[in-house]
Amino acid sequence: MAKLVSVVVIGGSHAGLAVSQKLLRQTARAKITLINPSDEYYFNIAAPRFLVKPKSLPPSRYLYSIPDAFRDYPADRFTFIKGLVTEIDYATKSVSVTLAMNSAGATTTPPTAASFGFDYLVIASGSTTPATLGQAGVRLPFKPTAFEDTRKAIHEAQEKLSAAQRILIGGGGPLGVEIAGELAEAAGPKKVTVVSRTSVLLEGATAPVQRTALSLLHRRNVDVLTGVTVVDAVYEAHTQTWTVKLSTGRTYTVDAYIATTGTIPNNAFIPKSFLNAQGWVNVDKELRVLDNGVSRSDTYAIGDITSYPYRLLSRVPLQGETVAANIVGAIEQKGQVATYSAKAQKKMMVVPVGQSTGTGHLGDWTLFGCLVWFFKGKDFLTYKGPKFLLGQSS
């Protein structure tokens, strides 16, 4: 039997799972090594709902075992490594990994190191946020982080938001509007204020959607300040409150300051020659990584980490299909090339505002509140979690 081709996938979230599952289904000649800091797939899309309303969704709806999702494949076809990639070495065609304590290959209590060779590499390391890292405002796990006990982080965030009565949200984008809508409906008296840098909510959305978002928040007694930025936010430990200074000169004292802006690429291990000025990975139309402007035949990038704008979950399936098709084509020498076009996918925004309504658009079509509820608001897309886990969403 011919030697299996080694494909290393860095990142076990939506994008990394998509390409891993598709490769395993499309060719029997590849051995997939999936590397991720956590052995759980975190369906973070639903975070605004379960962080604010813990009883609305059980953890089984947004946390899934990654190894279990691949249990039907033999060991010579798939390996999961719980660890953090620290370096890519093209001289040896390998990646260096700091292993978690209970990962395969980790034999000591402190984290240890290992390396894994590859013929093809897929970078799907994604992104994080200042709030996730605790760099701005209350630490909220909008994204997974390295070696974090995700369940513990979620529980701590739920406790903080439950106890808070005065809340200021920095950012009027989809995440800011969604979490404001959830907080306005949460148990207990809460005074919620949203601060938007732009003159409208949901920048980039159509005008009717922007107006609807503002109206829905006002109806829920949420104060909205537009054309205003947060200049500084300081946590006062002795009072357990936040002092938030705005660009207008006004200062708010609140129980929780939630920062919903800012996206940070998970790129510490990625060669600088792959990155644009903002730190995202440059790719060509085949999703091959550009190394100083030249396409690499052995390395692909997919998902949030790429330089494509509009980092939307809806774009992951097609990207996964593109990368899988190109790697399979190379392995089996089919000579066919798949290409990806972000412009070919309609721009979509679906924003629940509370449990029963919301706003959004698909292309130029405005979505009524009942449609937003049906497609996302009723359970924040958690019904799609298992499909993304198995790389079956489209």
Side-chain angles (χ1 to χ4, degrees), residues 62-84:
Y62 53 83
L63 289 171
Y64 301 88
S65 168
I66 294 175
D68 284 355
F70 294 88
R71 63 179 179 270
D72 292 338
Y73 296 101
D76 66 336
R77 294 285 319 284
F78 177 81
T79 299
F80 176 74
I81 301 297
K82 185 177 179 179
L84 182 68

Side-chain angles (χ1 to χ4, degrees), residues 22 25 41 51 56 64 123 126 259 340:
K22 292 176 190 300
R25 285 197 290 268
Y41 167 51
L51 290 179
S56 64
Y64 301 88
I123 301 173
Y340 172 76

Side-chain angles (χ1 to χ4, degrees), residues 274-293:
F274 292 4
L275 308 177
N276 66 12
Q278 291 73 43
W280 306 102
V281 177
N282 290 310
V283 292
D284 65 13
K285 63 183 180 180
E286 298 164 25
L287 296 178
R288 302 179 194 269
V289 167
L290 295 174
D291 186 353
N292 282 326

Side-chain angles (χ1 to χ4, degrees), residues 9-66:
V9 179
I10 302 173
S13 191
H14 320 298
L17 290 170
V19 73
S20 297
Q21 294 278 13
K22 292 176 190 300
L23 281 170
L24 287 165
R25 285 197 290 268
Q26 291 177 24
T27 180
R29 296 177 58 186
K31 159 68 184 286
I32 311 301
T33 301
L34 176 60
I35 305 171
N36 194 60
S38 172
D39 56 9
E40 288 189 307
Y41 167 51
Y42 178 35
F43 194 76
N44 62 301
I45 303 302
R49 174 66 50 80
F50 62 73
L51 290 179
V52 176
K53 304 171 182 173
K55 295 182 179 179
S56 64
L57 292 170
S60 60
R61 298 287 300 278
Y62 53 83
L63 289 171
Y64 301 88
S65 168
I66 294 175

Side-chain angles (χ1 to χ4, degrees), residues 209-362:
V209 170
Q210 293 170 341
R211 291 193 296 267
T212 300
L214 181 62
S215 175
L216 289 173
L217 289 182
H218 279 164
R219 280 188 240 167
R220 285 157 177 76
N221 296 315
V222 175
D223 288 342
V224 179
L225 306 178
T226 57
V228 179
T229 58
V230 173
V231 175
D232 194 25
V234 178
Y235 181 66
E236 308 289 351
H238 63 288
T239 60
Q240 296 186 336
T241 60
W242 289 83
T243 300
V244 184
K245 185 176 180 180
L246 305 183
S247 57
T248 58
R250 185 174 179 181
T251 298
Y252 280 74
T253 299
V254 295
D255 303 305
Y257 165 56
I258 300 174
T260 64
T261 60
T263 307
I264 304 168
N266 291 325
N267 64 7
F269 65 93
I270 300 175
K272 302 298 182 187
S273 57
F274 292 4
L275 308 177
N276 66 12
Q278 291 73 43
W280 306 102
V281 177
N282 290 310
V283 292
D284 65 13
K285 63 183 180 180
E286 298 164 25
L287 296 178
R288 302 179 194 269
V289 167
L290 295 174
D291 186 353
N292 282 326
V294 179
S295 298
R296 292 197 65 99
S297 61
D298 59 356
T299 307
Y300 294 80
I302 179 176
D304 277 10
I305 193 61
T306 71
S307 54
Y308 281 111
Y310 307 118
R311 296 176 172 85
L312 304 173
L313 180 63
S314 59
R315 301 196 169 188
V316 167
L318 183 55
Q319 290 184 7
E321 291 173 11
T322 302
V323 172
N326 285 331
I327 293 177
V328 170
I331 291 174
E332 300 185 354
Q333 299 181 339
K334 293 182 177 179
Q336 298 174 334
V337 175
T339 59
Y340 172 76
S341 172
K343 293 181 180 179
Q345 291 188 278
K346 286 187 177 181
K347 189 177 177 184
M348 178 172 61
M349 184 181 292
V350 183
V351 184
V353 183
Q355 192 79 32
S356 60
T357 189
T359 187
H361 65 91
L362 175 60

